[in-house]
Amino acid sequence: MLPIVLSKHFLFLTGTTLILIAYFFQESSWMKVKGFFYNFINLLGAGLLTYIALQPFQLEYFTISILWMLISAARLFKSFK
């Protein structure tokens, strides 16, 4: 059971770190909010957090992480246009 808990913590920390890195780079003007990399990193981070929210299911946490993921995916799609 311990490896499962540790892997969840690792995924949570990875997802959170990705989102914070994207935010830091955007605030430092190293990335554009409408750019591919910013939205890709946000999408990956939010995807990991959404996965974590499913086991065990946590409605509030799942709702905010899935919305974050959907917004990032839509913006990522727009960056290709």
Side-chain angles (χ1 to χ4, degrees):
M1 183 96 166
L2 186 60
I4 293 173
V5 172
L6 289 178
S7 67
K8 283 185 179 182
H9 285 296
F10 176 75
L11 291 175
F12 175 79
L13 288 173
T14 303
T16 305
T17 302
L18 286 171
I19 290 172
L20 289 174
I21 286 171
Y23 177 72
F24 174 76
F25 283 158
Q26 183 270 327
E27 285 295 313
S28 302
S29 299
W30 294 344
M31 281 187 189
K32 295 180 181 179
V33 173
K34 294 181 181 179
F36 171 80
F37 290 113
Y38 175 80
N39 291 300
F40 182 71
I41 292 171
N42 260 322
L43 180 62
L44 284 178
L48 289 173
L49 296 178
T50 302
Y51 174 75
I52 296 299
L54 291 173
Q55 303 168 355
F57 185 72
Q58 303 165 46
L59 180 61
E60 298 85 3
Y61 185 49
F62 175 78
T63 303
I64 196 160
S65 59
I66 196 76
L67 287 174
W68 193 300
M69 193 173 81
L70 292 172
I71 291 167
S72 296
R75 292 186 67 107
L76 185 66
F77 180 73
K78 276 184 152 183
S79 73
F80 286 116
K81 291 184 175 185

